[in-house]
Amino acid sequence: MKNLIFDLGDVIIPIDLTAPVRNFAMLANLPEDEVWAIWKQHDFINRYETGLIDDMAFRTQIRQLLKNDSWADEVIDTAWNTVLLELPVERVERIKELKKDYRLFLLSNTSPIHIKHVNGVLASLNQPTLEDLFERVFYSYEVGMAKPSPDIYQFVLSEAGLEATETAFFDDNGANIKAAAALGIQAVQVQPPKTILDYLRDI
């Protein structure tokens, strides 16, 4: 194995996918299930994470959908970032160790607001940014594609000049794992109670 590709959420940083909805529901004084329904109906998060809309349009959409024009950008960003839980620094340390022997990459369905936040957290822990931690980072919003589309994996392989058979991919999502495995990548599903550290122990 020569190359390791990591997902970000629930692989490097723990996440709580329900937290932003809970927080926006609280801010808007709406029931949570109503906010979930709005999210599903408008599918704007997917458009944001594939770069079809930018930060400003994303925030505007939230203000419109939740009928609150007075929310400052920071209020929206803070609620949106509650998806990201505390970052276990030992995971970052392990990745830094692996850098000596492997080519390391990051592949994440994410948004600019989240990446800015994670890099801020890393800085506060005296750790390198994601862009410095990995040889290359592939964010869905920058490449205009998202997992589990086979196109995004093909893009990463060709951009970085990787052989699928020499590459391991770590992700928590079953559909993402299946799509990567179909291309010959050694795909490993990170599932609790195990963490990425358990899967990297034998490497």
Side-chain angles (χ1 to χ4, degrees):
M1 202 51 60
K2 295 179 181 175
N3 321 299
L4 309 177
I5 305 173
F6 294 87
D7 173 36
L8 181 59
D10 265 349
V11 173
I12 295 169
I13 187 165
I15 57 174
D16 175 2
L17 289 171
T18 63
V21 167
R22 250 195 332 272
N23 282 277
F24 280 119
M26 219 152 52
L27 285 169
N29 208 10
L30 289 169
E32 269 178 58
D33 51 6
E34 202 172 308
V35 177
W36 276 117
I38 291 167
W39 260 218
K40 284 197 180 82
Q41 187 191 339
H42 294 274
D43 195 36
F44 65 102
I45 292 170
N46 185 44
R47 285 188 294 136
Y48 181 37
E49 290 190 341
T50 50
L52 293 172
I53 59 173
D54 63 7
D55 294 356
M56 209 164 93
F58 169 72
R59 295 183 190 113
T60 300
Q61 185 111 50
I62 284 182
R63 288 184 187 105
Q64 286 169 349
L65 293 174
L66 299 180
K67 300 179 174 54
N68 200 316
D69 290 338
S70 65
W71 287 341
D73 290 356
E74 294 72 39
V75 170
I76 292 170
D77 293 4
T78 301
W80 181 234
N81 283 331
T82 56
V83 70
L84 303 162
L85 305 177
E86 198 174 325
L87 176 60
V89 76
E90 61 275 14
R91 297 184 189 180
V92 180
E93 293 293 352
R94 182 70 179 114
I95 288 167
K96 279 159 50 178
E97 283 171 15
L98 292 166
K99 216 171 178 175
K100 297 192 280 281
D101 302 305
Y102 299 92
R103 295 180 67 194
L104 305 183
F105 302 90
L106 184 69
L107 172 60
S108 177
N109 289 356
T110 187
S111 67
I113 293 172
H114 285 157
I115 293 304
K116 189 179 165 194
H117 180 77
V118 173
N119 279 333
V121 170
L122 285 165
S124 73
L125 297 167
N126 295 317
Q127 294 292 342
T129 62
L130 294 169
E131 291 75 17
D132 290 331
L133 195 55
F134 296 94
E135 182 181 325
R136 284 276 305 266
V137 293
F138 295 94
Y139 301 138
S140 56
Y141 65 86
E142 286 185 344
V143 300
M145 297 174 264
K147 299 175 290 187
S149 162
D151 298 352
I152 199 166
Y153 300 103
Q154 292 286 15
F155 180 78
V156 171
L157 294 173
S158 64
E159 276 288 300
L162 309 179
E163 288 292 331
T165 52
E166 296 174 346
T167 305
F169 170 59
F170 301 91
D171 198 298
D172 62 302
N173 180 295
N176 296 348
I177 288 295
K178 206 171 158 187
L183 296 172
I185 296 167
Q186 190 182 319
V188 181
Q189 189 170 4
V190 177
Q191 290 178 298
K194 286 185 173 180
T195 73
I196 189 65
L197 294 173
D198 298 302
Y199 295 95
L200 294 173
R201 194 157 287 139
D202 304 326
I203 277 186

Short mmCIF file of all heavy atoms in Angstrom, two decimals, residues 3-46:
data_model
loop_
_atom_site.label_atom_id
_atom_site.label_comp_id
_atom_site.label_asym_id
_atom_site.label_seq_id
_atom_site.Cartn_x
_atom_site.Cartn_y
_atom_site.Cartn_z
N ASN A 3 -0.61 4.61 -0.91
CA ASN A 3 -1.38 5.85 -0.79
C ASN A 3 -2.56 5.67 0.17
O ASN A 3 -3.25 4.65 0.11
CB ASN A 3 -1.93 6.27 -2.16
CG ASN A 3 -0.92 6.01 -3.26
OD1 ASN A 3 0.17 6.56 -3.25
ND2 ASN A 3 -1.27 5.15 -4.22
N LEU A 4 -2.80 6.66 1.00
CA LEU A 4 -3.93 6.62 1.92
C LEU A 4 -4.79 7.86 1.70
O LEU A 4 -4.29 8.98 1.72
CB LEU A 4 -3.45 6.60 3.38
CG LEU A 4 -2.40 5.54 3.77
CD1 LEU A 4 -1.99 5.71 5.23
CD2 LEU A 4 -2.92 4.13 3.53
N ILE A 5 -6.09 7.61 1.47
CA ILE A 5 -7.05 8.72 1.30
C ILE A 5 -8.01 8.70 2.48
O ILE A 5 -8.58 7.66 2.82
CB ILE A 5 -7.84 8.58 -0.02
CG1 ILE A 5 -6.91 8.46 -1.23
CG2 ILE A 5 -8.79 9.76 -0.20
CD1 ILE A 5 -7.63 8.15 -2.54
N PHE A 6 -8.18 9.85 3.11
CA PHE A 6 -9.05 9.95 4.28
C PHE A 6 -10.25 10.83 4.00
O PHE A 6 -10.14 11.87 3.37
CB PHE A 6 -8.28 10.58 5.46
CG PHE A 6 -7.15 9.74 5.97
CD1 PHE A 6 -5.89 9.84 5.40
CD2 PHE A 6 -7.34 8.86 7.01
CE1 PHE A 6 -4.83 9.07 5.86
CE2 PHE A 6 -6.29 8.08 7.49
CZ PHE A 6 -5.03 8.18 6.92
N ASP A 7 -11.39 10.39 4.54
CA ASP A 7 -12.56 11.26 4.65
C ASP A 7 -12.29 12.15 5.87
O ASP A 7 -11.42 11.85 6.69
CB ASP A 7 -13.80 10.37 4.84
CG ASP A 7 -15.06 11.16 5.14
OD1 ASP A 7 -15.22 12.26 4.59
OD2 ASP A 7 -15.90 10.66 5.92
N LEU A 8 -13.06 13.22 6.02
CA LEU A 8 -12.86 14.13 7.15
C LEU A 8 -13.85 13.85 8.29
O LEU A 8 -13.46 13.49 9.39
CB LEU A 8 -12.98 15.59 6.67
CG LEU A 8 -12.77 16.68 7.71
CD1 LEU A 8 -11.39 16.61 8.35
CD2 LEU A 8 -12.99 18.06 7.08
N GLY A 9 -15.15 14.00 8.01
CA GLY A 9 -16.17 13.86 9.05
C GLY A 9 -16.34 12.43 9.53
O GLY A 9 -16.53 11.52 8.73
N ASP A 10 -16.26 12.25 10.84
CA ASP A 10 -16.38 10.95 11.51
C ASP A 10 -15.23 10.00 11.18
O ASP A 10 -15.30 8.81 11.48
CB ASP A 10 -17.73 10.28 11.24
CG ASP A 10 -18.71 10.58 12.37
OD1 ASP A 10 -18.28 11.11 13.41
OD2 ASP A 10 -19.91 10.27 12.23
N VAL A 11 -14.19 10.53 10.56
CA VAL A 11 -12.94 9.77 10.38
C VAL A 11 -11.83 10.51 11.11
O VAL A 11 -11.21 9.98 12.01
CB VAL A 11 -12.61 9.55 8.88
CG1 VAL A 11 -11.24 8.92 8.71
CG2 VAL A 11 -13.68 8.66 8.23
N ILE A 12 -11.64 11.78 10.75
CA ILE A 12 -10.64 12.60 11.45
C ILE A 12 -11.32 13.40 12.56
O ILE A 12 -10.89 13.40 13.69
CB ILE A 12 -9.90 13.52 10.46
CG1 ILE A 12 -9.08 12.66 9.48
CG2 ILE A 12 -8.97 14.48 11.22
CD1 ILE A 12 -8.51 13.41 8.30
N ILE A 13 -12.41 14.08 12.21
CA ILE A 13 -13.13 14.86 13.23
C ILE A 13 -14.53 14.26 13.44
O ILE A 13 -15.25 14.02 12.48
CB ILE A 13 -13.20 16.36 12.84
CG1 ILE A 13 -13.80 17.19 13.98
CG2 ILE A 13 -13.96 16.59 11.55
CD1 ILE A 13 -13.60 18.69 13.84
N PRO A 14 -14.90 13.97 14.70
CA PRO A 14 -16.25 13.44 14.96
C PRO A 14 -17.31 14.47 14.58
O PRO A 14 -17.08 15.67 14.72
CB PRO A 14 -16.24 13.19 16.48
CG PRO A 14 -14.81 13.18 16.88
CD PRO A 14 -14.10 14.08 15.92
N ILE A 15 -18.43 13.98 14.09
CA ILE A 15 -19.51 14.90 13.70
C ILE A 15 -20.86 14.46 14.29
O ILE A 15 -21.04 13.30 14.63
CB ILE A 15 -19.64 15.06 12.16
CG1 ILE A 15 -19.87 13.70 11.48
CG2 ILE A 15 -18.42 15.76 11.57
CD1 ILE A 15 -20.14 13.79 9.97
N ASP A 16 -21.76 15.41 14.37
CA ASP A 16 -23.15 15.14 14.77
C ASP A 16 -24.04 15.79 13.72
O ASP A 16 -24.29 17.00 13.76
CB ASP A 16 -23.42 15.72 16.16
CG ASP A 16 -24.89 15.56 16.58
OD1 ASP A 16 -25.67 14.97 15.80
OD2 ASP A 16 -25.25 16.03 17.67
N LEU A 17 -24.50 14.98 12.77
CA LEU A 17 -25.26 15.51 11.63
C LEU A 17 -26.58 16.17 12.03
O LEU A 17 -27.12 16.97 11.29
CB LEU A 17 -25.53 14.39 10.62
CG LEU A 17 -24.29 13.90 9.85
CD1 LEU A 17 -24.61 12.65 9.05
CD2 LEU A 17 -23.75 14.99 8.93
N THR A 18 -27.08 15.83 13.22
CA THR A 18 -28.38 16.40 13.63
C THR A 18 -28.21 17.76 14.32
O THR A 18 -29.17 18.50 14.47
CB THR A 18 -29.11 15.44 14.60
OG1 THR A 18 -28.33 15.30 15.78
CG2 THR A 18 -29.33 14.08 13.97
N ALA A 19 -26.99 18.09 14.73
CA ALA A 19 -26.77 19.31 15.53
C ALA A 19 -27.16 20.61 14.81
O ALA A 19 -27.86 21.44 15.39
CB ALA A 19 -25.33 19.37 16.03
N PRO A 20 -26.76 20.82 13.53
CA PRO A 20 -27.15 22.07 12.88
C PRO A 20 -28.67 22.25 12.80
O PRO A 20 -29.17 23.35 13.05
CB PRO A 20 -26.53 21.96 11.49
CG PRO A 20 -25.38 21.04 11.67
CD PRO A 20 -25.85 20.04 12.69
N VAL A 21 -29.38 21.18 12.48
CA VAL A 21 -30.84 21.27 12.39
C VAL A 21 -31.42 21.65 13.75
O VAL A 21 -32.29 22.52 13.85
CB VAL A 21 -31.45 19.95 11.86
CG1 VAL A 21 -32.96 19.93 12.06
CG2 VAL A 21 -31.12 19.78 10.39
N ARG A 22 -30.90 21.01 14.80
CA ARG A 22 -31.35 21.32 16.16
C ARG A 22 -31.14 22.80 16.47
O ARG A 22 -32.00 23.49 17.01
CB ARG A 22 -30.54 20.50 17.17
CG ARG A 22 -31.33 19.41 17.85
CD ARG A 22 -30.69 18.81 19.09
NE ARG A 22 -29.25 18.81 19.18
CZ ARG A 22 -28.45 17.85 18.70
NH1 ARG A 22 -28.96 16.85 18.02
NH2 ARG A 22 -27.15 17.92 18.87
N ASN A 23 -29.96 23.30 16.11
CA ASN A 23 -29.62 24.69 16.42
C ASN A 23 -30.41 25.69 15.59
O ASN A 23 -30.85 26.71 16.10
CB ASN A 23 -28.12 24.90 16.26
CG ASN A 23 -27.35 24.35 17.44
OD1 ASN A 23 -27.22 25.00 18.46
ND2 ASN A 23 -26.90 23.11 17.34
N PHE A 24 -30.58 25.40 14.30
CA PHE A 24 -31.38 26.29 13.45
C PHE A 24 -32.85 26.28 13.88
O PHE A 24 -33.52 27.31 13.85
CB PHE A 24 -31.24 25.93 11.98
CG PHE A 24 -29.97 26.44 11.35
CD1 PHE A 24 -29.04 25.57 10.81
CD2 PHE A 24 -29.70 27.81 11.31
CE1 PHE A 24 -27.86 26.05 10.24
CE2 PHE A 24 -28.52 28.29 10.75
CZ PHE A 24 -27.60 27.41 10.20
N ALA A 25 -33.33 25.11 14.30
CA ALA A 25 -34.72 25.02 14.78
C ALA A 25 -34.91 25.90 16.01
O ALA A 25 -35.90 26.62 16.14
CB ALA A 25 -35.07 23.57 15.10
N MET A 26 -33.91 25.85 16.90
CA MET A 26 -33.95 26.66 18.11
C MET A 26 -33.93 28.16 17.77
O MET A 26 -34.73 28.94 18.27
CB MET A 26 -32.75 26.31 18.98
CG MET A 26 -33.04 26.26 20.46
SD MET A 26 -31.91 25.11 21.31
CE MET A 26 -30.29 25.66 20.76
N LEU A 27 -33.02 28.53 16.88
CA LEU A 27 -32.89 29.94 16.47
C LEU A 27 -34.17 30.46 15.81
O LEU A 27 -34.56 31.60 16.03
CB LEU A 27 -31.73 30.09 15.48
CG LEU A 27 -30.30 30.04 16.03
CD1 LEU A 27 -29.30 29.94 14.88
CD2 LEU A 27 -29.99 31.27 16.88
N ALA A 28 -34.78 29.60 15.00
CA ALA A 28 -35.96 30.01 14.23
C ALA A 28 -37.26 29.79 15.00
O ALA A 28 -38.34 30.13 14.53
CB ALA A 28 -36.01 29.25 12.91
N ASN A 29 -37.12 29.16 16.17
CA ASN A 29 -38.29 28.83 16.98
C ASN A 29 -39.27 27.93 16.22
O ASN A 29 -40.47 28.17 16.19
CB ASN A 29 -38.97 30.12 17.46
CG ASN A 29 -39.70 29.91 18.78
OD1 ASN A 29 -39.54 28.86 19.41
ND2 ASN A 29 -40.48 30.88 19.18
N LEU A 30 -38.71 26.92 15.57
CA LEU A 30 -39.50 25.97 14.79
C LEU A 30 -39.24 24.56 15.30
O LEU A 30 -38.18 24.28 15.85
CB LEU A 30 -39.07 26.02 13.31
CG LEU A 30 -39.44 27.25 12.48
CD1 LEU A 30 -38.69 27.22 11.15
CD2 LEU A 30 -40.94 27.33 12.25
N PRO A 31 -40.20 23.64 15.07
CA PRO A 31 -39.95 22.24 15.42
C PRO A 31 -38.83 21.67 14.53
O PRO A 31 -38.73 22.04 13.35
CB PRO A 31 -41.27 21.53 15.13
CG PRO A 31 -42.28 22.59 14.86
CD PRO A 31 -41.54 23.83 14.49
N GLU A 32 -38.02 20.79 15.11
CA GLU A 32 -36.90 20.20 14.36
C GLU A 32 -37.35 19.51 13.07
O GLU A 32 -36.71 19.66 12.03
CB GLU A 32 -36.16 19.18 15.22
CG GLU A 32 -35.03 19.77 16.01
CD GLU A 32 -34.35 18.74 16.89
OE1 GLU A 32 -33.86 17.73 16.35
OE2 GLU A 32 -34.32 18.95 18.12
N ASP A 33 -38.45 18.76 13.16
CA ASP A 33 -38.87 18.01 11.96
C ASP A 33 -39.28 18.94 10.82
O ASP A 33 -39.15 18.60 9.65
CB ASP A 33 -39.97 16.98 12.27
CG ASP A 33 -41.15 17.55 13.02
OD1 ASP A 33 -41.18 18.79 13.22
OD2 ASP A 33 -42.04 16.78 13.41
N GLU A 34 -39.73 20.14 11.18
CA GLU A 34 -40.07 21.12 10.15
C GLU A 34 -38.79 21.61 9.42
O GLU A 34 -38.78 21.77 8.20
CB GLU A 34 -40.80 22.31 10.79
CG GLU A 34 -41.63 23.10 9.80
CD GLU A 34 -42.50 24.15 10.48
OE1 GLU A 34 -43.24 23.79 11.44
OE2 GLU A 34 -42.43 25.32 10.06
N VAL A 35 -37.75 21.82 10.20
CA VAL A 35 -36.47 22.24 9.60
C VAL A 35 -35.88 21.12 8.74
O VAL A 35 -35.41 21.36 7.62
CB VAL A 35 -35.47 22.70 10.70
CG1 VAL A 35 -34.12 23.07 10.08
CG2 VAL A 35 -36.03 23.89 11.47
N TRP A 36 -35.97 19.88 9.22
CA TRP A 36 -35.53 18.72 8.41
C TRP A 36 -36.27 18.71 7.08
O TRP A 36 -35.67 18.50 6.02
CB TRP A 36 -35.80 17.40 9.13
CG TRP A 36 -34.75 16.98 10.10
CD1 TRP A 36 -34.89 16.81 11.45
CD2 TRP A 36 -33.37 16.65 9.83
NE1 TRP A 36 -33.71 16.43 12.03
CE2 TRP A 36 -32.75 16.32 11.06
CE3 TRP A 36 -32.60 16.62 8.66
CZ2 TRP A 36 -31.40 15.94 11.15
CZ3 TRP A 36 -31.26 16.26 8.76
CH2 TRP A 36 -30.68 15.93 9.99
N ALA A 37 -37.57 18.93 7.14
CA ALA A 37 -38.41 18.90 5.93
C ALA A 37 -37.98 20.00 4.94
O ALA A 37 -37.89 19.76 3.74
CB ALA A 37 -39.88 19.06 6.31
N ILE A 38 -37.68 21.18 5.46
CA ILE A 38 -37.22 22.30 4.62
C ILE A 38 -35.89 21.93 3.96
O ILE A 38 -35.69 22.13 2.77
CB ILE A 38 -37.08 23.60 5.47
CG1 ILE A 38 -38.47 24.10 5.90
CG2 ILE A 38 -36.35 24.69 4.70
CD1 ILE A 38 -38.46 25.18 6.98
N TRP A 39 -34.97 21.38 4.75
CA TRP A 39 -33.65 20.95 4.23
C TRP A 39 -33.83 19.98 3.06
O TRP A 39 -33.24 20.14 2.02
CB TRP A 39 -32.90 20.21 5.34
CG TRP A 39 -31.84 20.94 6.12
CD1 TRP A 39 -30.66 20.40 6.55
CD2 TRP A 39 -31.84 22.28 6.61
NE1 TRP A 39 -29.94 21.34 7.27
CE2 TRP A 39 -30.63 22.50 7.32
CE3 TRP A 39 -32.74 23.34 6.51
CZ2 TRP A 39 -30.31 23.71 7.92
CZ3 TRP A 39 -32.43 24.55 7.12
CH2 TRP A 39 -31.23 24.73 7.80
N LYS A 40 -34.66 18.95 3.30
CA LYS A 40 -34.87 17.89 2.28
C LYS A 40 -35.52 18.45 1.02
O LYS A 40 -35.13 18.14 -0.10
CB LYS A 40 -35.74 16.77 2.85
CG LYS A 40 -34.98 15.86 3.81
CD LYS A 40 -35.74 14.55 4.02
CE LYS A 40 -35.01 13.64 4.97
NZ LYS A 40 -35.26 13.97 6.40
N GLN A 41 -36.51 19.28 1.21
CA GLN A 41 -37.29 19.82 0.09
C GLN A 41 -36.43 20.68 -0.83
O GLN A 41 -36.56 20.63 -2.04
CB GLN A 41 -38.46 20.63 0.64
CG GLN A 41 -39.43 21.10 -0.42
CD GLN A 41 -40.42 22.12 0.14
OE1 GLN A 41 -40.64 22.19 1.35
NE2 GLN A 41 -41.02 22.91 -0.73
N HIS A 42 -35.54 21.45 -0.24
CA HIS A 42 -34.80 22.44 -1.06
C HIS A 42 -33.42 21.97 -1.50
O HIS A 42 -32.84 22.56 -2.41
CB HIS A 42 -34.72 23.78 -0.31
CG HIS A 42 -36.06 24.41 -0.14
ND1 HIS A 42 -36.63 25.22 -1.11
CD2 HIS A 42 -36.98 24.31 0.85
CE1 HIS A 42 -37.82 25.60 -0.69
NE2 HIS A 42 -38.05 25.07 0.49
N ASP A 43 -32.88 20.95 -0.84
CA ASP A 43 -31.62 20.32 -1.25
C ASP A 43 -30.49 21.33 -1.53
O ASP A 43 -29.66 21.12 -2.39
CB ASP A 43 -31.87 19.45 -2.51
CG ASP A 43 -30.71 18.50 -2.77
OD1 ASP A 43 -30.13 18.00 -1.79
OD2 ASP A 43 -30.36 18.28 -3.94
N PHE A 44 -30.51 22.45 -0.81
CA PHE A 44 -29.50 23.49 -1.08
C PHE A 44 -28.15 23.13 -0.48
O PHE A 44 -27.11 23.62 -0.93
CB PHE A 44 -29.97 24.85 -0.56
CG PHE A 44 -30.12 24.93 0.95
CD1 PHE A 44 -29.16 25.55 1.71
CD2 PHE A 44 -31.23 24.36 1.58
CE1 PHE A 44 -29.29 25.62 3.09
CE2 PHE A 44 -31.36 24.43 2.95
CZ PHE A 44 -30.39 25.06 3.71
N ILE A 45 -28.12 22.23 0.52
CA ILE A 45 -26.84 21.85 1.13
C ILE A 45 -25.99 21.09 0.12
O ILE A 45 -24.79 21.33 0.00
CB ILE A 45 -27.07 21.03 2.43
CG1 ILE A 45 -27.68 21.95 3.49
CG2 ILE A 45 -25.76 20.42 2.93
CD1 ILE A 45 -28.18 21.27 4.72
N ASN A 46 -26.62 20.23 -0.64
CA ASN A 46 -25.92 19.50 -1.69
C ASN A 46 -25.34 20.47 -2.73
O ASN A 46 -24.20 20.31 -3.18
CB ASN A 46 -26.86 18.48 -2.35
CG ASN A 46 -26.13 17.62 -3.35
OD1 ASN A 46 -25.02 17.16 -3.09
ND2 ASN A 46 -26.72 17.44 -4.51
#
